[in-house]
Amino acid sequence: FSFSTLCIMSQRALALDGKRKSGQPVRTELVQTVQVLSNILKSSLGPVGLDKMLVDDIGDILVTNDGATILSRLEVEHPAAKMLVDLSKLQDDEVGDGTTSVVLLASELLKRANTITQHKIHPTNVIAGYKLACRESIKYIKDNLAIKTSSLGADALMNIARTSMSSKILSSDIEHFSKICTEAVLSVKTVNDIGDYVYPVKAISILKQHGKSAHESQLVDGFALNCTRASQAMPSSVANAKIALLDFDLRVTKLKLGIQIIVSDPKELEAIRRREVDVTKERIQKIIAAGANVILTTKGIDDVCMKYMVEAGVIGVRRCKKDDLKRIAKATGGTILVSLASIEQDGEEMYDAANLGTADSVQEERFADDECILIKGGAKHTQSSIVLRGANSFMLDEMER
């Protein structure tokens, strides 16, 4: 065989079966796909927009008019449509509003661009035109429309909140909720390293409680943790709290599966059981000795360990969400530990007091039928919580969105 014949054979071996499409027909197909997606969302835009009821394969129902939520529940396979789904999710993460508008705007821009390319104008020229228009639009907004947030009064912030919520389920109690949102955002106002005012929205936690009407929703000072004390014998409140944030179990240490211990003397069995209890006991004693009077963990706390916490007057909270612990760590200046092993001590377990977070108080309060842990006065920055009340979980989920 000649070299050229071998090259042709190798290309055929690597070739994928299928048809290759390019040019205007592909662009038209992409635009049509995007238009189908925008038509789904079009009827849910604005104050008179309609809610969508989505039912999945197992029968779970979701009622919403939030664009990002609707698109995330759709099974989208087309690459162009997937880009719009990602665009809507990014808008929701960065801004929190306008998730429907960005999809409709992007689909309309694609539709107009396709019309221009049908007049024999190259797509790169259309892209260059859009980029130029984007730069000019941003320049005009900065020069003529942008206003510093520090110069806005409370009335302007209230109007922004009203506009954002006018198309949501909260529109019936828009005055009440716009006031709650404005006060919540202003309460977490901080100054960053370069001297600018910032409003960390993640510092506001949202607690959902069934019962009563939406008008009974309220703003609470402090971070509300949707957990309770591990034992009722623990104190219900602690002042000048030193908070230990843990991401490991505080239960009796068990040997891993597959490990076998051959014991020649039956008396040694009791010593093994006692040592399993002592390992966890020593961990708790080291944490308490460092000055901790509140212990939060993402895993469990068993009865043996609770006994030592109750004796020391420490509040122990188990099964906390990892995201909640991260927010608490940021607010209190604490550090989440996944292990007590120390590199400096050659792997020996120890707890450094520098890992403790500080807060003015930690207390258990009752909202509706459930209790929650309220952390007030974090060392780094303040936090607020919004307690939502509603008839059922569908309504509460939509209020949170």
Side-chain angles (χ1 to χ4, degrees):
F1 293 106
S2 65
F3 178 74
S4 58
T5 308
L6 288 171
C7 289
I8 294 169
M9 289 176 66
S10 63
Q11 286 176 359
R12 285 176 181 172
L14 295 172
L16 297 174
D17 291 334
K19 295 180 180 179
R20 180 180 178 182
K21 293 193 290 185
S22 61
Q24 188 58 43
V26 177
R27 285 193 288 271
T28 304
E29 181 191 331
L30 292 177
V31 171
Q32 288 173 348
T33 306
V34 170
Q35 287 296 308
V36 170
L37 208 59
S38 67
N39 288 335
I40 294 172
L41 296 182
K42 198 174 287 184
S43 58
S44 65
L45 179 67
V48 293
L50 304 175
D51 286 4
K52 305 283 186 187
M53 179 182 283
L54 307 175
V55 184
D56 62 13
D57 295 337
I58 59 174
D60 283 346
I61 299 172
L62 176 69
V63 181
T64 183
N65 70 348
D66 181 63
T69 308
I70 294 170
L71 291 179
S72 66
R73 292 301 185 99
L74 298 179
E75 294 181 2
V76 179
E77 294 184 357
H78 198 281
K82 277 184 178 178
M83 288 183 68
L84 283 195
V85 174
D86 293 340
L87 174 68
S88 182
K89 184 178 182 301
L90 183 64
Q91 177 77 4
D92 191 34
D93 293 341
E94 291 294 325
V95 181
D97 195 22
T99 53
T100 306
S101 305
V102 291
V103 175
L104 299 182
L105 183 63
S107 65
E108 191 62 25
L109 288 172
L110 285 171
K111 181 181 175 183
R112 300 295 177 91
N114 188 48
T115 306
I116 296 171
T117 55
Q118 288 174 350
H119 290 85
K120 306 300 181 184
I121 297 175
H122 199 274
T124 52
N125 292 337
V126 179
I127 294 168
Y130 274 175
K131 285 182 176 179
L132 177 62
C134 179
R135 287 196 298 270
E136 290 297 322
S137 301
I138 293 171
K139 183 182 176 184
Y140 181 81
I141 290 170
K142 284 183 176 179
D143 294 343
N144 301 291
L145 302 178
I147 301 172
K148 285 190 174 292
T149 52
S150 56
S151 64
L152 294 175
D155 291 339
L157 297 176
M158 289 276 285
N159 288 333
I160 293 168
R162 287 191 195 102
T163 304
S164 181
M165 288 188 282
S166 61
S167 62
K168 307 297 180 186
I169 197 172
L170 304 172
S171 56
S172 57
D173 286 313
I174 197 166
E175 291 295 328
H176 178 63
F177 281 101
S178 58
K179 184 179 178 182
I180 286 178
C181 292
T182 305
E183 290 177 357
V185 171
L186 289 175
S187 68
V188 297
K189 177 181 176 182
T190 54
V191 181
N192 62 11
D193 297 335
I194 59 175
D196 293 336
Y197 289 111
V198 291
Y199 302 85
V201 179
K202 288 186 178 180
I204 304 170
S205 67
I206 297 176
L207 207 63
K208 296 179 287 186
Q209 295 288 349
H210 289 186
K212 294 193 176 182
S213 67
H215 194 71
E216 301 291 332
S217 301
Q218 59 179 311
L219 177 66
V220 179
D221 178 30
F223 186 90
L225 190 63
N226 196 13
C227 300
T228 59
R229 292 171 293 165
S231 169
Q232 292 301 312
M234 293 175 178
S236 59
S237 64
V238 170
N240 297 322
K242 303 291 184 183
I243 306 169
L245 306 168
L246 311 176
D247 190 19
F248 56 85
D249 249 333
L250 288 177
R251 290 183 286 189
V252 175
T253 306
K254 298 290 184 183
L255 293 174
K256 300 285 179 70
L257 291 174
I259 296 177
Q260 291 182 339
I261 298 177
I262 300 172
V263 181
S264 57
D265 186 357
K267 295 179 182 178
E268 296 296 325
L269 285 172
E270 184 58 32
I272 292 170
R273 291 194 193 98
R274 198 162 47 247
R275 182 57 192 155
E276 286 179 346
V277 175
D278 289 345
V279 167
T280 309
K281 177 185 175 182
E282 289 168 7
R283 287 177 180 172
I284 293 172
Q285 287 175 339
K286 285 172 182 175
I287 295 169
I288 295 172
N293 51 17
V294 178
I295 298 175
L296 307 179
T297 178
T298 57
K299 304 292 173 59
I301 303 174
D302 63 10
D303 295 339
V304 177
C305 302
M306 281 184 215
K307 173 177 172 288
Y308 304 121
M309 291 184 187
V310 171
E311 289 172 353
V314 172
I315 296 178
V317 183
R318 57 188 170 186
R319 309 267 181 250
C320 302
K321 291 182 180 176
K322 186 73 175 286
D323 289 340
D324 288 342
L325 279 197
K326 288 179 180 177
R327 292 179 184 178
I328 293 169
K330 196 170 183 180
T332 61
T335 306
I336 301 173
L337 296 183
V338 295
S339 170
L340 291 184
S342 171
I343 298 174
E344 298 172 358
Q345 300 293 328
D346 296 329
E348 290 291 325
E349 291 192 342
M350 62 169 289
Y351 190 88
D352 190 354
N355 296 320
L356 293 172
T358 56
D360 292 343
S361 67
V362 174
Q363 59 196 55
E364 185 179 78
E365 291 196 9
R366 188 178 186 86
F367 294 102
D369 298 330
D370 300 319
E371 290 86 11
C372 75
I373 299 294
L374 207 59
I375 301 170
K376 294 185 177 181
K380 292 294 183 181
H381 60 78
T382 57
Q383 294 206 326
S384 295
S385 300
I386 299 173
V387 181
L388 296 177
R389 307 302 302 277
N392 51 45
S393 57
F394 303 119
M395 185 175 180
L396 288 170
D397 290 341
E398 182 65 4
M399 287 166 69
E400 183 183 13
R401 282 190 287 270

